[in-house]
């Protein structure tokens, strides 16, 4: 049986070619257990860098008493003889060990296994593969990170966990992984080949077709005697799930009951944090209705499935099923086809290996679950499900998309997102809704979703490549004219359209066919959008009872505006008034720099310094930005100053960094648009929300341009109310429960001005206490309020 020597070395400077060993840790693994260990300090005969002392806990005084490497070399060499060398990043540890032996004239040549590579394959959903991150995820014994023996023992445990996972795979699956394993570093594949004899040909719990295994689906059976029949009394139903009804919830529930008797669409404006989900779901379910619920984002879909679905099925036997677009699921048929080749490059081959492992674990088949480490979107698109896949294909019975559709068909509640909803309503609304009530939650976000789906775009370079300027002098002149026009800041659309027609560029001509469309250029793409808003009302069948629910469905008390902009002419509008929060305060900073007179970099540095000082108070901090550039500059400054942060699109997607923040991996989260309206922070009992700038839309924003055509004074009648509504939404994101406490710190001093600012303050003060304080007093107020 193979003996593995799991090695970790600490060194004078890992980034220098002149580095020397300062500590050795070796854990010996054989027959599935750790059978021995060895550790020693090593005297490098040079002072340690301060950062190395801090990292390892070693000191110059301690290492002066340690033996030279020459004094321990024979002992270490004998210990490693006939072993397989294992390390977490074998390139570093093996390279340094080899160099150290070479300097003494001792030959050193062992097969190597890299646990970083193995971890990427066998833990395909993890966000990080560093030893500390793996130690936390897998609960490894890792008491002293960067102490060689602790690291070696933790790596040995990791190796054993991977070994166990490999042996639990069906033999055909591990065999397929081995078929692609030559792309792993060094002799890492050797480790996998050794496990094959310990696997079972057909272990229980898997659907195995050829070399791909998926988990057998087990549909939860709901026993009638353990579920409760829904009452017609909302308060009683809420009590069954262990919740006390709030006044606003009861008001909404009563309205839901009453409104079912008439066919018109209902627009219901309800404040955030009031518990509206149960307030609309329970009355509809009690009346015997099947429901489609649409949320703005996949994050909120997952939130409903995580927080609401288990309660409903356990207490009432009511099933919820989530559906996302077919491109979000893996196509096992496509994946099976790409397995035929094992020479597609190192990263893609490792991607195939980790997908093979993931398929034995996933119950959803959603590609979002896969780690994005060393995996790009092109990899995922290659194996994304296509709606044209047929039942006759080999792996069809294993496919997740058809199963999700079938599950949704029999569920009382389908949960979709706005993008998926609009696509289905455009394709086959009657069969999709199938006599269900449609509830669109956060309905105001339909504008943005429909805009994105309705826009046309082409890549300019692709169109220009179609032109053969050598054909004639005329074509050459037209080509030059078109290139000139497309490079101008202000596009002459009539001239571009004329040139495109004469050159026979049908796609460009089609894009510009509507002379009233709004057209603009971004980098190498040309976009076109309808001059007016896209009509949502015409997508919904007249027979469908529709509820449009959200915290912000009107710009003023006099005129709701949003229903008409979405195409509705006949509707009911009902507003549930909010209450002033007792567990939240808003502080407008009085001593910050003037936004308009400060460069974006200087303001980002000011923001970073304010965040850093607030972070010293020890509370979790969420920072919501209005631009990616501002977030990036702020994140760079905070990181440079040594702060551990989670920044959207830098440290992961919105969903990924939200999970990490909830787990406490960092106390500072920097977010963009989706966090303003679509992500709730209910896990934190006390929280600071920092808003660097007022959330005004930019003049170039396409929706802003469309709104501008509807109002006599767009800034005062649209921009100011919308910014105010967005602020309110942000407040609600961190005020989800009555027992939560939160402070909102607004750094933008424009809120302290006159005219429009006065209107914003008056409106905001209806729901939260507003205080004007300098930074010093802000810190004192936060401590007093949150403690």
């Amino acid at each position: 049986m193979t003996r593995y020597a799991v090695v970790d070395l600490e060194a004078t400077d890992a980034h220098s070619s002149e580095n020397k060993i300062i500590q050795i840790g070796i854990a010996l693994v054989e027959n599935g257990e750790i059978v021995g260990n060895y550790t020693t300090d090593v005297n490098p005969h040079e002072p340690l860098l301060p950062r190395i002392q801090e990292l390892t806990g070693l000191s110059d005084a301690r290492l002066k008493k340690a033996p030279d490497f020459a004094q321990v070399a024979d002992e270490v060499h004998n210990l490693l003889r006939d072993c397989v060398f294992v390390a977490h990043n074998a390139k570093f540890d093996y390279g340094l060990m080899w160099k150290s032996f070479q300097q003494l004239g001792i030959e050193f040549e062992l097969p190597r296994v890299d646990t970083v590579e193995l971890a990427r394959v066998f833990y395909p959903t993890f966000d990080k593969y560093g030893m500390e991150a793996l130690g936390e995820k897998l609960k490894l014994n890792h008491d002293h990170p960067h102490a060689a023996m602790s690291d070696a023992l933790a790596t040995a445990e990791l190796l054993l966990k991977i070994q166990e996972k490999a042996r639990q795979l069906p033999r055909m699956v591990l065999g397929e992984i081995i078929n692609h394993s030559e792309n792993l570093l060094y002799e890492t594949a050797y480790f996998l080949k050794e496990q094959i004899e310990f696997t079972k040909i057909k272990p229980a719990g898997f659907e195995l077709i050829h070399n791909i295994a998926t988990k057998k689906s087990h549909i939860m059976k709901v026993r009638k005697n353990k579920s409760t029949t829904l009452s017609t009394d909302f308060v009683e139903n809420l009590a069954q799930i262990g919740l006390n009804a709030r006044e606003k919830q009861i008001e909404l529930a009563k309205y839901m009951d009453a409104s079912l008797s008439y066919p018109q669409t209902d627009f219901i404006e309800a404040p955030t944090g009031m518990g509206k989900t149960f307030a609309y779901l329970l009355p509809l379910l009690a009346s015997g209705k099947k429901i489609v619920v649409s949320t703005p984002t996949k994050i909120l879909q997952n939130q409903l499935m995580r927080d609401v679905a288990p309660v409903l099925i356990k207490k009432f036997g009511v099933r919820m099923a989530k559906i996302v677009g077919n491109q979000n699921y893996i196509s096992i048929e496509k994946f099976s086809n790409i397995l035929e080749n094992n020479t597609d490059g190192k990263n893609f081959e490792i991607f195939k290996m980790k997908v093979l492992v993931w398929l034995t674990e996933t119950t959803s088949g959603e590609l979002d679950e896969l780690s994005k480490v060393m995996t790009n979107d092109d990899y995922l698109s290659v194996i994304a499900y296509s709606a044209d896949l047929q039942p006759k294909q080999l792996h069809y019975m294993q496919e997740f998309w058809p199963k999700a559709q079938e599950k949704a068909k029999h569920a009382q509640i389908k949960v979709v997102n706005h993008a998926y909803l609009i696509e289905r309503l455009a394709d086959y609304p009657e069969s999709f809704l199938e006599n269900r009530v449609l509830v669109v939650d956060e309905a105001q976000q339909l504008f943005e979703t429909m805009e994105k789906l309705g826009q046309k775009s082409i890549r300019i370079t692709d169109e220009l490549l179609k032109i053969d300027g050598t054909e004639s002098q005329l074509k050459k002149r037209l080509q030059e004219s078109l290139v000139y026009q497309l490079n101008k800041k202000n596009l002459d659309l009539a001239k571009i359209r004329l040139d495109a027609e004469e050159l026979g560029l049908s796609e460009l001509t089609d894009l510009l066919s509507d002379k009233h469309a709004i057209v603009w250029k971004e980098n190498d793409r040309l976009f076109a959008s309808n001059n007016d808003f896209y009509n949502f009302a015409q997508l919904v069948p007249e027979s469908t009872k529709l509820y449009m629910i959200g915290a912000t469905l009107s710009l003023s008390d006099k005129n709701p505006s949003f229903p008409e902009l979405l195409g509705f002419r006949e509707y009911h509008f009902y507003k549930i008034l909010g209450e002033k929060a007792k567990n939240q305060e808003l502080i407008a900073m009085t001593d910050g720099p003037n936004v308009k007179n400060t460069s974006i970099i200087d303001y980002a540095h000011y923001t970073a310094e304010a965040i850093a000082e607030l972070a010293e108070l020890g509370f979790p901090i969420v920072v919501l930005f209005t631009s990616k550039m501002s977030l990036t500059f702020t994140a760079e400054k905070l990181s440079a100053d040594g702060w551990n942060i989670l920044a959207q699109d830098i440290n992961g997607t919105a969903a990924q960094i939200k999970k990490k923040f909830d787990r406490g991996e960092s106390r500072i989260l920097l977010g963009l648009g989706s966090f303003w309206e679509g992500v709730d922070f209910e896990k934190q009992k006390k929280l600071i929300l920092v808003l660097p700038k007022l959330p005004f839309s930019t003049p170039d924003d396409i929706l802003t341009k469309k709104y501008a055509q509807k109002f006599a004074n767009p800034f005062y009648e649209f921009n100011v109310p919308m910014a105010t509504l967005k602020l309110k939404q942000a407040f609600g994101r961190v005020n989800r429960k009555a027992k939560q406490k939160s402070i909102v710190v607004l750094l933008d001093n424009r809120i302290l001005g006159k005219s429009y600012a006065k209107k914003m303050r008056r409106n905001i003060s209806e729901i939260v206490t507003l205080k004007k304080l300098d930074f010093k007093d802000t810190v004192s107020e936060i401590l007093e309020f949150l403690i």
Side-chain angles (χ1 to χ4, degrees):
M1 180 58 64
T2 302
R3 173 173 280 219
Y4 295 97
V6 185
V7 180
D8 184 82
L9 304 178
E10 300 302 326
T12 51
D13 187 355
H15 305 292
S16 169
S17 60
E18 302 301 319
N19 60 346
K20 297 178 181 178
I21 296 173
I22 56 175
Q23 194 174 59
I24 300 171
I26 301 173
L28 299 173
V29 174
E30 195 171 5
N31 291 323
E33 60 181 348
I34 298 171
V35 296
N37 61 74
Y38 170 89
T39 186
T40 183
D41 293 344
V42 178
N43 188 347
H45 297 286
E46 64 180 59
L48 295 181
L49 295 170
R51 60 183 172 83
I52 300 298
Q53 292 188 45
E54 184 178 348
L55 186 70
T56 63
L58 297 171
S59 65
D60 291 333
R62 173 173 165 176
L63 293 183
K64 280 181 181 178
K65 300 175 184 176
D68 301 335
F69 181 74
Q71 293 174 279
V72 298
D74 287 339
E75 186 179 9
V76 171
H77 194 268
N78 290 334
L79 195 63
L80 297 178
R81 182 180 288 118
D82 300 326
C83 289
V84 172
F85 187 102
V86 180
H88 203 67
N89 184 8
K91 181 179 180 180
F92 170 78
D93 293 283
Y94 187 88
L96 181 55
M97 185 71 81
W98 182 88
K99 183 183 77 172
S100 301
F101 279 126
Q102 283 292 109
Q103 289 171 346
L104 299 174
I106 300 173
E107 286 191 17
F108 181 68
E109 193 69 42
L110 293 177
R112 290 152 286 179
V113 169
D114 191 298
T115 51
V116 176
E117 299 257 284
L118 289 172
R120 281 180 60 194
V121 172
F122 284 91
Y123 299 102
T125 62
F126 284 9
D127 298 321
K128 294 179 181 177
Y129 295 101
M131 203 61 236
E132 288 185 64
L134 289 170
E136 184 178 336
K137 280 272 194 180
L138 300 172
K139 296 181 170 48
L140 305 175
N141 291 312
H142 198 208
D143 298 332
H144 303 288
H146 303 293
M149 195 64 247
S150 179
D151 283 352
L153 287 169
T155 305
E157 280 190 62
L158 172 64
L159 184 74
L160 292 173
K161 284 181 179 289
I162 292 171
Q163 177 179 280
E164 184 62 24
K165 283 197 77 173
R167 292 179 179 185
Q168 288 174 357
L169 294 174
R171 184 165 297 174
M172 290 293 289
V173 174
L174 185 57
E176 184 62 43
I177 290 172
I178 290 169
N179 186 40
H180 300 270
S181 65
E182 294 305 320
N183 294 276
L184 296 172
L185 281 173
Y186 311 121
E187 294 77 31
T188 303
Y190 173 85
F191 170 80
L192 298 178
K193 291 172 184 175
E194 190 178 61
Q195 312 311 320
I196 196 83
E197 65 177 287
F198 298 96
T199 59
K200 295 180 180 178
I201 295 174
K202 287 187 178 180
F206 294 111
E207 197 76 51
L208 182 62
I209 298 179
H210 283 195
N211 47 7
I212 295 176
T214 52
K215 287 184 83 167
K216 285 185 177 176
S217 55
H218 298 286
I219 299 173
M220 188 192 309
K221 294 181 179 179
V222 182
R223 297 176 183 174
K224 291 184 179 179
N225 62 345
K226 286 200 173 181
S227 62
T228 305
T229 304
L230 278 153
S231 167
T232 54
D233 185 334
F234 169 72
V235 175
E236 186 179 322
N237 287 330
L238 208 58
Q240 287 293 334
I241 57 180
L243 297 174
N244 296 318
R246 306 177 210 170
E247 183 183 338
K248 302 298 179 183
Q249 279 181 307
I250 295 171
E251 182 181 350
L252 176 54
K254 285 180 178 178
Y255 184 82
M256 298 297 295
D257 280 330
S259 63
L260 276 170
S261 61
Y262 54 79
Q264 287 95 336
T265 293
D266 287 277
F267 281 80
I268 305 172
E269 186 169 290
T272 56
M274 59 160 277
K276 66 179 182 292
T277 303
F278 283 123
Y280 67 69
L281 279 181
L282 292 178
L284 292 175
L285 291 169
S287 66
K289 302 294 184 184
K290 289 186 175 182
I291 310 164
V292 172
V293 176
S294 183
T295 71
T297 63
K298 286 189 282 186
I299 294 175
L300 286 178
Q301 272 184 282
N302 292 334
Q303 199 165 294
L304 277 177
M305 296 305 297
R306 183 193 70 218
D307 299 339
V308 178
V311 174
L312 291 181
I313 196 165
K314 182 179 180 182
K315 292 295 182 181
F316 304 114
V318 171
R319 297 185 190 281
M320 292 179 78
K322 182 182 77 167
I323 319 176
V324 291
N326 59 266
Q327 71 279 3
N328 292 280
Y329 295 85
I330 185 172
S331 161
I332 299 180
E333 193 71 35
K334 285 185 178 181
F335 178 62
S336 177
N337 290 335
I338 69 169
L339 288 177
E340 294 175 8
N341 185 12
N342 63 359
T343 58
D344 285 328
K346 172 182 165 61
N347 279 335
F348 196 54
E349 292 302 323
I350 291 178
F351 171 72
K352 293 176 189 177
M353 295 163 68
K354 78 178 187 178
V355 172
L356 283 162
V357 174
W358 172 66
L359 284 172
T360 68
E361 301 171 346
T362 182
T363 56
S364 76
E366 290 180 38
L367 294 168
D368 277 352
E369 293 178 0
L370 283 166
S371 170
K372 300 302 183 290
V373 176
M374 307 295 283
T375 297
N376 61 46
D377 290 339
D378 290 340
Y379 292 1
L380 300 176
S381 65
V382 169
I383 61 171
Y385 191 85
S386 302
D388 58 356
L389 288 170
Q390 299 299 317
K392 64 182 180 180
Q393 291 170 313
L394 178 64
H395 293 279
Y396 191 81
M397 294 303 294
Q398 290 178 298
E399 298 288 7
F400 291 92
W401 162 253
K403 289 177 183 176
Q405 294 293 298
E406 189 64 24
K407 185 178 178 183
K409 191 183 294 184
H410 298 289
Q412 287 96 323
I413 305 170
K414 293 180 183 179
V415 183
V416 300
N417 57 64
H418 290 354
Y420 181 84
L421 172 70
I422 291 164
E423 288 173 354
R424 295 290 75 77
L425 291 180
D427 293 339
Y428 43 89
E430 285 81 8
S431 61
F432 172 65
L433 291 172
E434 55 180 357
N435 299 316
R436 292 174 182 257
V437 172
L438 174 58
V439 179
V440 180
D441 203 353
E442 302 292 351
Q444 73 281 355
Q445 294 197 44
L446 279 173
F447 290 105
E448 186 174 345
T449 304
M450 294 192 74
E451 180 60 41
K452 287 179 180 177
L453 292 174
Q455 289 173 5
K456 296 178 182 178
S457 77
I458 59 169
R459 189 166 174 261
I460 294 171
T461 301
D462 290 343
E463 287 295 282
L464 295 177
L465 287 172
K466 298 174 184 177
I467 306 168
D468 184 359
T470 63
E471 275 189 19
S472 67
Q473 198 63 29
L474 175 61
K475 272 207 168 184
K476 184 178 180 182
R477 286 200 303 272
L478 287 170
Q479 180 185 31
E480 290 170 352
S481 171
L482 182 60
V483 171
Y484 172 74
Q485 294 296 335
L486 288 170
N487 283 321
K488 287 171 66 176
K489 185 176 181 180
N490 297 316
L491 300 174
D492 185 339
L493 299 178
K495 176 62 176 166
I496 294 171
R497 190 184 305 111
L498 185 62
D499 288 347
E501 286 174 355
E502 293 195 39
L503 286 164
L505 301 177
S506 56
E507 288 187 45
L508 180 55
T509 304
D510 179 63
L511 184 80
L512 303 174
S513 59
D514 181 357
K515 295 181 181 180
H516 302 291
I518 300 172
V519 180
W520 71 101
K521 189 176 77 167
E522 289 180 17
N523 301 320
D524 191 38
R525 296 199 76 84
L526 201 64
F527 293 83
S529 176
N530 286 353
N531 191 43
D532 204 348
F533 293 94
Y534 293 94
N535 192 315
F536 179 73
Q538 69 182 8
L539 296 175
V540 184
E542 288 185 15
S543 59
T544 299
K545 178 61 182 175
L546 172 61
Y547 291 95
M548 305 283 275
I549 301 177
T552 54
L553 300 181
S554 60
L555 294 177
S556 69
D557 293 331
K558 296 178 182 177
N559 182 13
S561 300
F562 283 5
E564 287 86 355
L565 294 176
L566 286 167
F568 291 91
R569 297 294 172 260
E570 293 185 13
Y571 59 90
H572 286 173
F573 193 94
Y574 186 74
K575 185 170 183 174
I576 298 175
L577 298 175
E579 296 177 344
K580 196 161 187 172
K582 296 177 182 178
N583 60 339
Q584 187 176 63
E585 281 187 355
L586 168 64
I587 298 174
M589 293 271 290
T590 60
D591 54 352
N594 186 298
V595 173
K596 289 188 175 181
N597 298 334
T598 308
S599 72
I600 188 169
I601 293 179
D602 288 342
Y603 198 83
H605 285 187
Y606 158 69
T607 302
E609 288 163 4
I611 294 166
E613 289 196 51
L614 294 176
E616 296 285 0
L617 302 178
F619 301 107
I621 298 176
V622 174
V623 191
L624 300 185
F625 291 85
T626 56
S627 87
K628 187 170 183 178
M629 190 178 294
S630 296
L631 180 149
T632 301
F633 287 143
T634 304
E636 287 174 352
K637 172 65 174 168
L638 284 167
S639 296
D641 291 342
W643 289 96
N644 175 29
I645 63 170
L646 292 168
Q648 187 174 348
D649 297 335
I650 295 174
N651 304 105
T653 64
Q656 288 170 338
I657 66 171
K658 171 65 165 54
K659 284 181 184 176
K660 295 175 185 178
F661 186 71
D662 285 344
R663 291 197 298 259
E665 292 186 22
S666 171
R667 291 206 310 270
I668 304 172
L669 181 146
L670 312 184
L672 290 164
S674 57
F675 282 102
W676 285 86
E677 298 179 335
V679 181
D680 297 335
F681 292 89
E682 72 284 353
K683 303 287 186 186
Q684 293 75 21
K685 293 181 180 179
K686 297 177 180 181
L687 194 65
I688 299 172
L689 172 64
V690 178
L691 305 176
K693 290 185 179 180
L694 290 170
F696 286 119
S697 299
T698 63
D700 291 334
D701 177 71
I702 185 65
L703 286 175
T704 302
K705 288 180 178 180
K706 292 186 178 185
Y707 283 122
Q709 299 175 120
K710 303 286 183 180
F711 299 93
N713 189 330
F715 182 75
Y716 283 94
E717 294 180 53
F718 169 69
N719 279 19
V720 171
M722 279 301 292
T724 307
L725 291 175
K726 202 165 184 181
L727 282 174
K728 288 182 176 181
Q729 288 174 322
F731 301 164
R733 300 281 70 87
V734 296
N735 189 10
R736 308 308 300 169
K737 297 178 180 178
K739 292 183 179 179
Q740 272 186 311
K741 275 191 171 185
S742 57
I743 286 271
V744 182
V745 179
L746 180 60
L747 303 180
D748 191 338
N749 59 20
R750 288 177 293 179
I751 193 70
L752 304 172
K754 298 178 181 178
S755 110
Y756 75 82
K758 187 176 181 181
K759 181 180 178 182
M760 293 179 83
R761 292 197 302 272
R762 184 170 62 249
N763 196 307
I764 289 168
S765 295
E766 293 175 2
I767 64 164
V768 66
T769 299
L770 170 62
K771 295 186 176 182
K772 305 173 188 178
L773 302 172
D774 61 19
F775 190 84
K776 182 180 177 182
D777 289 339
T778 294
V779 171
S780 300
E781 180 64 23
I782 290 172
L783 289 171
E784 186 176 338
F785 186 79
L786 292 184
I787 292 176

